[in-house]
Amino acid sequence: MSPARARTSHQAIIAEARGLLEEGGLDAVTMQAVAGRVGVRAPSLYKRFAGRSALIGAIAQDVVVELDASIAPATRTADPAEAVQIAANQYRAFAHRSPGAYQLLFSRLLPDARPTAESNAAGAAGVLLIAERLVGAEHALEAARLFTAFVHGFVSMELAGAFRLGGDVDAAFSYSLDTIVAGAVPQRSIG
Amino acid sequence: MSPARARTSHQAIIAEARGLLEEGGLDAVTMQAVAGRVGVRAPSLYKRFAGRSALIGAIAQDVVVELDASIAPATRTADPAEAVQIAANQYRAFAHRSPGAYQLLFSRLLPDARPTAESNAAGAAGVLLIAERLVGAEHALEAARLFTAFVHGFVSMELAGAFRLGGDVDAAFSYSLDTIVAGAVPQRSIG
DNA sequence: ACCTGAACACCGTTCAAGT
DNA sequence: ACCTGAACACCGTTCAAGT
């Protein structure tokens, strides 16, 4: 007679789905596999998520928040050139720590699986702040885009196994950041 | 009594699959949909491709070759700073022209759907050549990685709809290339 | 209030049977 | 030599029925 009590939770489902994502990619995140991990049958998941893509979207939201949080401390470093290094290294470290989650952010997601603009506003604001300190207000947005595009691109290529010509990948990352900072700073005084 | 004659071809299958990829993403590239487009039933596709992932891999191979070809002409521009601009703009134009195909290259692919290292050796060599002309032999590989990572990252973010803060995206691309070139060149004479 | 089995429409893939 | 229908194991999703 007692109505069935909850045997799982929103958070547990997301956590297990994310585990499957890291282990076997998006294809491994099936409703049945997730249900199995949380000790329930697939149809029960629909009590908490509208469908698979909503579940994927919930993961993406969490990931955006974590990624933002991991680069946020860099904002508190006064020297902008140093802040760039810290933010870039933290961003890259997050992607290495959670490659499946990271790649999810830039995969073509279904409409309802898209992280909201607000959810990464904090991260965008932090990068913009550092960029403004580095190059001034006029080119802050452009510099922020340069920085973000480079770091994302580098990490994305690493995770895709695109650096196949040998050499020291860490050194290339470091060289690149130095080069970008060197190119960006003078534009404030010269241009 | 006459044995059944071929009703489609390797190339036709790849072309139609790619059309579906551009229209509806990877999920739309089902064996049944591809078969329907080439006027055949799904099982017939297995006469020419080992499976879906082999078909996806064949698309990826073609795309790598086309992308390489689109940036190759930049190599013939003597001024390296100018060559960087041309290569970057051609790369970006290709991604805008074939966003589905482009994104395929950086998605987590199954083992047999991976473009071979040889297939993009030409493109890598071209970028490396331009980088060497720009910064010298010592840092050529690192500069090539900076360039490639930035351009890929920028384009990837564009296609993912990640630039949501307004502003002029074309201008940010142009600003970024100028900044990278400005930062890279001095390192040859100074460092 | 949550959980379940059964069902449905869809996949990729295999294979014996057709021409 | 290529094509096909039928079959299999697997998806996501719905829903009536259980507690």
Side-chain angles (χ1 to χ4, degrees):
Chain A
M1 308 284 167
S2 58
R5 285 266 284 148
R7 223 169 286 178
T8 183
S9 71
H10 202 84
Q11 281 311 316
I13 291 167
I14 292 177
E16 295 299 341
R18 204 164 147 179
L20 286 163
L21 173 64
E22 292 299 345
E23 288 167 30
L26 255 190
D27 290 350
V29 186
T30 68
M31 297 302 268
Q32 309 189 17
V34 173
R37 286 244 192 156
V38 299
V40 109
R41 297 289 189 168
S44 296
L45 299 178
Y46 293 80
K47 280 287 148 184
R48 306 180 203 271
F49 295 94
R52 180 176 182 267
S53 70
L55 171 54
I56 304 289
I59 299 175
Q61 285 282 6
D62 277 15
V63 173
V64 167
V65 170
E66 287 176 31
L67 184 53
D68 280 8
S70 78
I71 62 170
T75 310
R76 292 195 292 271
T77 297
D79 177 20
E82 196 181 335
V84 164
Q85 304 280 346
I86 294 172
N89 285 312
Q90 291 299 323
Y91 188 102
R92 186 170 174 232
F94 178 87
H96 286 182
R97 215 182 304 135
S98 305
Y102 180 76
Q103 287 182 293
L104 174 64
L105 295 187
F106 293 92
S107 61
R108 201 129 74 166
L109 300 168
L110 301 170
D112 54 341
R114 193 93 199 286
T116 62
E118 304 87 53
S119 65
N120 95 334
V127 173
L128 205 51
L129 179 63
I130 295 172
E132 185 173 344
R133 286 180 188 152
L134 191 69
V135 304
E138 192 186 351
H139 290 297
L141 181 57
E142 284 143 332
R145 281 174 173 162
L146 162 55
F147 171 77
T148 310
F150 162 71
V151 176
H152 160 58
F154 194 95
V155 158
S156 163
M157 293 184 69
E158 269 188 296
L159 297 185
F163 292 142
R164 307 186 203 171
L165 289 153
D168 186 333
V169 174
D170 288 342
F173 190 69
S174 177
Y175 166 91
S176 297
L177 290 173
D178 289 343
T179 300
I180 290 171
V181 170
V185 174
Q187 298 206 351
R188 177 173 42 180
S189 39
I190 295 174
Chain B
M1 305 290 165
S2 58
R5 286 264 284 149
R7 225 169 285 178
T8 183
S9 71
H10 203 84
Q11 282 311 316
I13 291 167
I14 293 178
E16 295 299 342
R18 204 164 147 180
L20 287 163
L21 172 64
E22 293 299 345
E23 288 166 29
L26 255 190
D27 290 350
V29 186
T30 68
M31 297 302 268
Q32 309 189 17
V34 173
R37 286 245 191 155
V38 300
V40 110
R41 297 291 188 168
S44 296
L45 299 178
Y46 292 80
K47 280 285 148 184
R48 308 180 201 270
F49 295 94
R52 181 176 182 268
S53 70
L55 171 54
I56 304 288
I59 299 174
Q61 284 282 8
D62 277 15
V63 173
V64 167
V65 170
E66 286 176 32
L67 184 52
D68 279 8
S70 79
I71 62 169
T75 310
R76 292 195 292 272
T77 298
D79 177 21
E82 198 181 333
V84 164
Q85 305 279 346
I86 294 171
N89 285 312
Q90 291 299 325
Y91 188 102
R92 184 169 175 233
F94 177 86
H96 286 183
R97 216 182 304 136
S98 306
Y102 180 77
Q103 288 181 292
L104 174 64
L105 295 187
F106 293 92
S107 61
R108 199 126 78 166
L109 300 168
L110 301 171
D112 55 341
R114 194 89 198 286
T116 62
E118 304 86 54
S119 66
N120 95 335
V127 173
L128 205 53
L129 178 64
I130 296 172
E132 185 173 345
R133 286 179 189 153
L134 191 70
V135 305
E138 193 186 351
H139 291 295
L141 182 56
E142 283 142 333
R145 280 174 173 162
L146 161 55
F147 171 78
T148 310
F150 162 70
V151 177
H152 160 58
F154 194 95
V155 159
S156 163
M157 292 184 68
E158 269 189 296
L159 298 185
F163 292 141
R164 308 187 203 171
L165 292 167
D168 186 333
V169 174
D170 288 342
F173 190 69
S174 177
Y175 166 91
S176 298
L177 290 173
D178 290 343
T179 299
I180 289 170
V181 170
V185 173
Q187 299 207 352
R188 176 173 43 179
S189 38
I190 295 175

Short mmCIF file of all heavy atoms in Angstrom, two decimals, chain A residues 175 179 182-183 186, chain B residues 134-135 178-191:
data_model
loop_
_atom_site.label_atom_id
_atom_site.label_comp_id
_atom_site.label_asym_id
_atom_site.label_seq_id
_atom_site.Cartn_x
_atom_site.Cartn_y
_atom_site.Cartn_z
N TYR A 175 54.58 28.11 -25.26
CA TYR A 175 55.07 29.02 -26.31
C TYR A 175 53.92 29.85 -26.87
O TYR A 175 54.04 31.06 -27.09
CB TYR A 175 55.73 28.21 -27.44
CG TYR A 175 55.96 28.98 -28.72
CD1 TYR A 175 57.15 29.67 -28.95
CD2 TYR A 175 54.97 29.03 -29.71
CE1 TYR A 175 57.35 30.39 -30.12
CE2 TYR A 175 55.16 29.75 -30.89
CZ TYR A 175 56.35 30.43 -31.09
OH TYR A 175 56.54 31.14 -32.24
N THR A 179 53.42 33.86 -26.87
CA THR A 179 53.32 34.56 -28.15
C THR A 179 52.07 35.45 -28.20
O THR A 179 52.13 36.60 -28.65
CB THR A 179 53.30 33.55 -29.31
OG1 THR A 179 54.51 32.79 -29.28
CG2 THR A 179 53.17 34.26 -30.65
N ALA A 182 52.58 38.40 -25.90
CA ALA A 182 53.55 39.32 -26.50
C ALA A 182 52.92 40.12 -27.64
O ALA A 182 53.20 41.31 -27.80
CB ALA A 182 54.76 38.53 -27.02
N GLY A 183 52.08 39.48 -28.40
CA GLY A 183 51.43 40.17 -29.52
C GLY A 183 50.33 41.10 -29.07
O GLY A 183 50.08 42.14 -29.70
N PRO A 186 51.56 44.97 -26.86
CA PRO A 186 52.01 46.16 -27.58
C PRO A 186 50.88 46.91 -28.28
O PRO A 186 50.93 48.13 -28.42
CB PRO A 186 52.97 45.60 -28.63
CG PRO A 186 53.44 44.32 -28.06
CD PRO A 186 52.27 43.78 -27.30
N LEU B 134 57.90 32.25 -40.98
CA LEU B 134 57.52 33.35 -40.10
C LEU B 134 58.42 33.47 -38.87
O LEU B 134 58.86 34.57 -38.52
CB LEU B 134 56.06 33.18 -39.66
CG LEU B 134 55.39 34.35 -38.95
CD1 LEU B 134 55.16 35.50 -39.91
CD2 LEU B 134 54.07 33.92 -38.33
N VAL B 135 58.69 32.35 -38.22
CA VAL B 135 59.42 32.40 -36.94
C VAL B 135 60.76 31.68 -36.95
O VAL B 135 61.46 31.70 -35.93
CB VAL B 135 58.56 31.81 -35.79
CG1 VAL B 135 57.22 32.50 -35.71
CG2 VAL B 135 58.38 30.30 -35.95
N ASP B 178 46.32 39.07 -36.51
CA ASP B 178 47.33 40.13 -36.42
C ASP B 178 48.12 40.02 -35.12
O ASP B 178 49.34 40.19 -35.10
CB ASP B 178 46.64 41.51 -36.48
CG ASP B 178 46.07 41.81 -37.86
OD1 ASP B 178 46.48 41.13 -38.82
OD2 ASP B 178 45.22 42.71 -37.97
N THR B 179 47.40 39.74 -34.04
CA THR B 179 48.05 39.64 -32.73
C THR B 179 49.03 38.47 -32.69
O THR B 179 50.15 38.59 -32.19
CB THR B 179 46.98 39.46 -31.63
OG1 THR B 179 46.12 40.59 -31.63
CG2 THR B 179 47.64 39.32 -30.26
N ILE B 180 48.62 37.34 -33.25
CA ILE B 180 49.49 36.16 -33.26
C ILE B 180 50.74 36.43 -34.09
O ILE B 180 51.86 36.14 -33.66
CB ILE B 180 48.72 34.93 -33.79
CG1 ILE B 180 47.69 34.48 -32.76
CG2 ILE B 180 49.69 33.80 -34.13
CD1 ILE B 180 46.72 33.43 -33.26
N VAL B 181 50.54 37.00 -35.26
CA VAL B 181 51.70 37.30 -36.12
C VAL B 181 52.63 38.31 -35.43
O VAL B 181 53.85 38.13 -35.42
CB VAL B 181 51.24 37.84 -37.49
CG1 VAL B 181 52.43 38.37 -38.29
CG2 VAL B 181 50.53 36.74 -38.27
N ALA B 182 52.03 39.32 -34.83
CA ALA B 182 52.83 40.33 -34.13
C ALA B 182 53.63 39.71 -33.00
O ALA B 182 54.79 40.07 -32.77
CB ALA B 182 51.93 41.44 -33.59
N GLY B 183 53.03 38.78 -32.29
CA GLY B 183 53.73 38.14 -31.17
C GLY B 183 54.76 37.13 -31.62
O GLY B 183 55.78 36.93 -30.96
N ALA B 184 54.52 36.51 -32.76
CA ALA B 184 55.40 35.43 -33.23
C ALA B 184 56.67 35.97 -33.86
O ALA B 184 57.76 35.47 -33.59
CB ALA B 184 54.66 34.54 -34.21
N VAL B 185 56.56 36.97 -34.70
CA VAL B 185 57.71 37.45 -35.46
C VAL B 185 58.87 37.92 -34.58
O VAL B 185 60.00 37.48 -34.78
CB VAL B 185 57.29 38.56 -36.45
CG1 VAL B 185 58.49 39.17 -37.11
CG2 VAL B 185 56.34 37.98 -37.48
N PRO B 186 58.63 38.77 -33.58
CA PRO B 186 59.75 39.29 -32.79
C PRO B 186 60.56 38.19 -32.12
O PRO B 186 61.76 38.33 -31.94
CB PRO B 186 59.06 40.15 -31.73
CG PRO B 186 57.78 40.54 -32.34
CD PRO B 186 57.37 39.36 -33.17
N GLN B 187 59.89 37.09 -31.78
CA GLN B 187 60.59 36.02 -31.07
C GLN B 187 61.75 35.46 -31.89
O GLN B 187 62.64 34.84 -31.35
CB GLN B 187 59.61 34.91 -30.72
CG GLN B 187 58.51 35.41 -29.81
CD GLN B 187 57.94 34.32 -28.93
OE1 GLN B 187 58.26 33.15 -29.11
NE2 GLN B 187 57.11 34.69 -27.98
N ARG B 188 61.72 35.69 -33.19
CA ARG B 188 62.84 35.24 -34.01
C ARG B 188 64.07 36.13 -33.77
O ARG B 188 65.16 35.66 -33.54
CB ARG B 188 62.46 35.27 -35.49
CG ARG B 188 63.63 34.89 -36.39
CD ARG B 188 63.18 34.77 -37.82
NE ARG B 188 62.29 35.87 -38.20
CZ ARG B 188 61.76 36.01 -39.41
NH1 ARG B 188 61.99 35.10 -40.33
NH2 ARG B 188 60.98 37.03 -39.69
N SER B 189 63.84 37.43 -33.79
CA SER B 189 64.98 38.35 -33.65
C SER B 189 65.41 38.51 -32.19
O SER B 189 66.60 38.61 -31.91
CB SER B 189 64.62 39.72 -34.25
OG SER B 189 63.28 40.04 -33.96
N ILE B 190 64.45 38.52 -31.27
CA ILE B 190 64.79 38.74 -29.86
C ILE B 190 65.32 37.45 -29.22
O ILE B 190 66.43 37.40 -28.73
CB ILE B 190 63.55 39.22 -29.06
CG1 ILE B 190 63.12 40.60 -29.57
CG2 ILE B 190 63.88 39.29 -27.56
CD1 ILE B 190 61.85 41.11 -28.94
N GLY B 191 64.43 36.40 -29.20
CA GLY B 191 64.79 35.17 -28.49
C GLY B 191 65.88 34.44 -29.24
O GLY B 191 66.31 33.39 -28.85
#
